[in-house]
Amino acid sequence: MAGNEQHYTLDLPKFDKKVRLLIVVAPYYKDIADNLIAGAKAVAAEAGAEVDLVEVPGALEIPTAIGMASRMADYDGFVALGCIIRGETTHYDTVCNDSSRGLTMLGLSGVAIGNGILTVENRKQAEVRADPADQNKGGGAAAAALHLVELSRKWARRTKGIGFKPQGEEFRIAGDSEGPKTA
């Protein structure tokens, strides 16, 4: 039974420079969202991170808000929080799959995101997972974001020949009327 398994959890990273996290939450199930937020904020505080919080209408809007903030604001990482409880229609599958896909695409493009969007069969499962004193999935999402921030800082400025410029060959800069340049 999964409830009795032991799971390994990485120690929280330590930072020399302040970390700024943005928590983006869909508070459709307000009590569940509040517990997820409490867990995320506690873990962020333990790591010394500053946290801002924004609410969006639903889980489908979470990736959009994070994508906008990653381009227009100054955050090191993001925590996605919300809860999707299975209902009677296929809407559950659409919301689960598309919100997850959106977050994954942002993550693969280099955005440090911890995914704490619960996808559950019933309210009881959500309550257990959201509770900071139980499974604390909000705290886990914040920890994941912090670990990815640590990696992004570790790998910052390390590049491997971005772009292509032939050595020793002449090339013309587009729109340059002075003639060929030597690389």
Side-chain angles (χ1 to χ4, degrees):
M1 178 176 217
N4 294 330
E5 289 185 30
Q6 294 294 319
H7 300 110
Y8 176 75
T9 304
L10 297 173
D11 291 334
L12 285 178
K14 304 212 182 317
F15 297 97
D16 295 333
K17 181 183 163 202
K18 193 66 116 177
V19 173
R20 293 191 66 227
L21 292 180
L22 177 65
I23 296 173
V24 179
V25 63
Y28 189 79
Y29 300 100
K30 184 84 167 99
D31 59 325
I32 302 296
D34 288 346
N35 270 343
L36 289 168
I37 293 165
K41 283 184 172 182
V43 167
E46 186 179 341
E50 294 177 2
V51 174
D52 289 333
L53 173 74
V54 296
E55 294 181 344
V56 295
L60 289 174
E61 290 75 37
I62 293 172
T64 302
I66 290 174
M68 291 167 58
S70 73
R71 290 185 304 277
M72 297 191 260
D74 187 26
Y75 292 100
D76 299 297
F78 303 89
V79 182
L81 300 178
C83 179
I84 308 163
I85 300 175
R86 186 179 297 278
E88 297 176 358
T89 68
T90 58
H91 183 67
Y92 170 86
D93 298 313
T94 298
V95 176
C96 291
N97 293 336
D98 290 353
S99 61
S100 178
R101 183 178 299 110
L103 294 176
T104 298
M105 290 173 66
L106 288 166
L108 291 173
S109 72
V111 180
I113 303 172
N115 184 354
I117 301 175
L118 304 179
T119 55
V120 297
E121 298 294 321
N122 56 58
R123 174 170 267 285
K124 182 63 180 162
Q125 290 176 350
E127 290 169 351
V128 168
R129 285 160 179 75
D131 186 347
D134 203 330
Q135 290 190 14
N136 194 20
K137 296 298 183 180
L146 290 164
H147 283 287
L148 292 171
V149 167
E150 178 186 41
L151 285 176
S152 71
R153 287 183 176 182
K154 175 181 178 180
W155 293 330
R157 297 193 194 121
R158 292 187 183 182
T159 59
K160 292 183 178 181
I162 296 173
F164 175 75
K165 180 174 154 185
Q167 289 188 311
E169 294 184 25
E170 292 184 353
F171 64 94
R172 179 179 290 272
I173 298 172
D176 186 352
S177 62
E178 293 181 18
K181 307 287 184 200
T182 302

